[in-house]
Amino acid sequence: MDKFVIECGARLVGEVQTGGAKNAVLPLMAAGLLVDDWLTLTNVPRLKDIDTLCGLMRFMGAEIDGDPATGTLKVRASKITKPEAPYDLVKTMRASILVLGPLVARCKEARVSLPGGCAIGARPINLHLAGLEKMGATIEIEHGYIHIRAEKLIGAKIYLDAPTVTGTENLMLAAVLADGQTVIENAAMEPEVVCLADALNKMGARITGAGTDIIKIEGVTKLKPVEVEVIPDRIEAGTFMIGAAMTRGNVLIKDCPINYLETLAVKLKETGTTITEEEGGVRVIGDWPIRSVDFRTQPYPAFPTDMQAQMMAMMTISGGLSVISETVFENRFMHVSELKRMGADIKIDGRVAIVTGVERLSGAPLMATDLRASASLILAGLVAEGTTEVSRIYHLDRGYENIEKKLGGLGANITRVKDEAKKK
Ligand code: EPZ
């Protein structure tokens, strides 16, 4: 398994380009199952999760084309020979569950592996399934698989107990070709949900309310394939904002969707970071001492859970005490034990972490456990005394394209070391 070797001391300075949003691309690819000709996506990053979903869609009989060098990805599901998502594919990327809604809408029957949990939590999909049953689908779960059937989905009023992002997206993808109106209440309001709704409307769907907690979908009989530009990745941009802030850097983040990052920007400004909008991007200038801040992760537009680990890394070298509450996932503090090995002072009580800033972290060999935890360890390595090694960075490759090149371009001393075994 590859690892990153990071030498300390760099202040991130320069310009970096934000790529397309992983969490927008995945539901958009699933939307390709609803039409029988080429759906074209642009501004698509090269990420492991996207490759995994390409593999699953090819398995089902869809064609995948495009040019990764230009960020173009094309999906054509003129025929779906196997409306199935097998465990060995779904287990590596649980967002594969997004094929469930479009498959049952298009093929009337599908067999999709239960995604199972992951490092950060149980990740249930009960709300996805309950919503589809409300729309008339019959669902049986056997041997770890969801077997879903529906001659024709019927529009329904669905209340989500939790504003699930992929749950909202799955139900939207199922409802666009259903008979009648579907109303999703307590819907997720993330920008990626809006991006999907805009794309589906461009394809001929009739969706209103995306971006609010009530989304209405009037079913139509057919959709047409279109070209869609993927929105910038707010979590990648936010990760670079924090990197600039905690290294006393000065970075222009190009294509930074600052309108999607308001709560992060507010918190960073409270730490003493300067954030200004410029032609083509957002400039972030860090300063020490870093003032400590408290924050709680909650569904959009509140502070994003996907930025919690990165912000915690910054708080470990703040001048005070920071209370961090993770309200979305039950086990999203896997980075804490690794940060403590670097000398961070962090105490955990359930879903609350108390971080007391220290003068300096010290470099150490670390192990990545999940996608965003990996990013926080790299950020910590940038400011730690000495050398930091982060292993199992396959977690990182799932959601960050060429992060070592992008950070290196800003002056970071970070090298990817290939796994010895792989070299043989
Ligand atoms: C999406 O995951 C993102 N993934 C996650 O990003 C992100 O952390 C998460 O939303 C929250 O913002 C993609 O979009 C591909 P949820 P998702 O369903 O949809 C509970 C990353 O790092 N819940 O919104 O799986 C659940 O337990 C990833 O890029 C149910 O109870 O998250 C959790 O507490 C990590 N029943 C809460 O809702 C359900 O049926 C939010 O989960 C579904 C969810």
Side-chain angles (χ1 to χ4, degrees):
M1 284 173 270
D2 296 359
K3 65 183 176 185
F4 279 146
V5 177
I6 305 157
E7 299 301 339
C8 80
R11 292 180 57 233
L12 298 185
V13 177
E15 291 188 3
V16 69
Q17 176 72 42
T18 309
K22 162 180 86 82
N23 291 348
V25 171
L26 299 173
L28 287 170
M29 289 172 67
L33 295 169
L34 295 170
V35 288
D36 54 11
D37 210 332
W38 291 110
L39 175 70
T40 302
L41 306 180
T42 61
N43 193 31
V44 175
R46 278 178 281 198
L47 298 172
K48 188 86 186 68
D49 274 6
I50 293 169
D51 295 345
T52 302
L53 190 52
C54 286
L56 173 58
M57 294 183 78
R58 284 196 181 98
F59 171 87
M60 295 193 282
E63 297 162 87
I64 302 287
D65 198 357
D67 175 8
T70 60
T72 305
L73 176 65
K74 298 169 70 174
V75 174
R76 177 162 71 177
S78 44
K79 60 189 180 317
I80 299 175
T81 49
K82 254 188 278 183
E84 284 185 34
Y87 177 62
D88 60 342
L89 286 173
V90 173
K91 71 181 178 191
T92 58
M93 211 269 295
R94 52 179 312 291
S96 309
I97 194 64
L98 283 163
V99 303
L100 186 67
L103 277 183
V104 69
R106 170 88 185 269
C107 308
K108 305 183 189 313
E109 184 167 2
R111 195 168 166 275
V112 174
S113 166
L114 283 166
C118 73
I120 64 177
R123 311 296 294 275
I125 56 160
N126 59 310
L127 301 177
H128 299 233
L129 303 182
L132 289 166
E133 283 178 326
K134 275 265 179 72
M135 296 172 72
T138 54
I139 291 175
E140 283 153 21
I141 294 187
E142 205 175 29
H143 308 306
Y145 277 78
I146 303 157
H147 199 163
I148 187 168
R149 295 184 190 84
E151 192 48 38
K152 180 75 176 166
L153 291 171
I154 313 296
K157 187 165 185 176
I158 299 165
Y159 175 79
L160 296 173
D161 291 343
T164 159
V165 176
T166 49
T168 301
E169 292 163 346
N170 228 337
L171 294 172
M172 257 170 41
L173 288 163
V176 286
L177 293 175
D179 261 351
Q181 181 190 65
T182 297
V183 180
I184 304 174
E185 295 192 342
N186 196 28
M189 300 188 274
E190 272 70 2
E192 294 75 25
V193 172
V194 177
C195 180
L196 176 65
D198 291 347
L200 288 167
N201 281 338
K202 193 176 178 183
M203 294 163 71
R206 293 171 54 204
I207 302 171
T208 53
T212 75
D213 60 349
I214 297 180
I215 299 177
K216 291 184 180 167
I217 304 116
E218 302 294 339
V220 296
T221 50
K222 193 163 171 49
L223 296 173
K224 64 182 189 304
V226 295
E227 177 167 317
V228 176
E229 181 175 348
V230 175
I231 58 172
D233 192 318
R234 60 194 168 96
I235 305 303
E236 183 195 30
T239 303
F240 287 118
M241 289 173 73
I242 292 178
M246 66 193 278
T247 60
R248 288 182 299 166
N250 184 328
V251 177
L252 179 68
I253 298 161
K254 295 158 74 176
D255 284 345
C256 174
I258 194 68
N259 49 322
Y260 301 155
L261 287 163
E262 275 171 27
T263 46
L264 175 66
V266 164
K267 284 295 163 185
L268 282 175
K269 287 174 182 169
E270 287 176 14
T271 68
T273 303
T274 305
I275 298 174
T276 51
E277 292 187 56
E278 286 185 12
E279 182 62 32
V282 171
R283 183 168 299 281
V284 179
I285 301 174
D287 195 9
W288 284 1
I290 294 166
R291 285 200 292 271
S292 59
V293 294
D294 302 336
F295 61 95
R296 292 170 64 84
T297 68
Q298 291 176 97
Y300 193 88
F303 192 96
T305 174
D306 291 349
M307 290 304 307
Q308 178 257 109
Q310 301 91 310
M311 192 67 180
M312 183 185 287
M314 181 170 174
M315 290 298 100
T316 64
I317 56 166
S318 75
L321 185 138
S322 165
V323 179
I324 300 171
S325 306
E326 171 53 64
T327 73
V328 177
F329 290 114
E330 65 270 30
N331 190 36
R332 203 166 199 176
F333 285 150
M334 305 277 280
H335 42 287
V336 169
S337 49
E338 297 303 290
L339 290 171
K340 288 173 76 167
R341 297 185 58 246
M342 302 176 82
D345 179 349
I346 308 171
K347 293 179 182 60
I348 294 180
D349 178 5
R351 289 194 179 190
V352 177
I354 316 281
V355 183
T356 305
V358 294
E359 189 67 33
R360 201 82 201 264
L361 296 176
S362 60
L366 308 172
M367 189 172 72
T369 52
D370 59 88
L371 171 54
R372 306 305 172 181
S374 320
S376 82
L377 300 182
I378 288 172
L379 295 177
L382 295 176
V383 297
E385 189 78 50
T387 303
T388 296
E389 292 191 357
V390 182
S391 62
R392 300 192 178 186
I393 51 170
Y394 58 84
H395 289 292
L396 204 87
D397 292 333
R398 296 186 46 193
Y400 289 93
E401 182 179 2
N402 281 334
I403 194 166
E404 73 272 26
K405 289 194 174 62
K406 291 190 175 185
L407 288 173
L410 295 172
N413 182 340
I414 175 170
T415 317
R416 180 186 290 258
V417 176
K418 287 276 176 213
D419 181 338
E420 286 309 312
K422 262 201 251 174
K423 283 179 185 167
K424 291 185 184 85

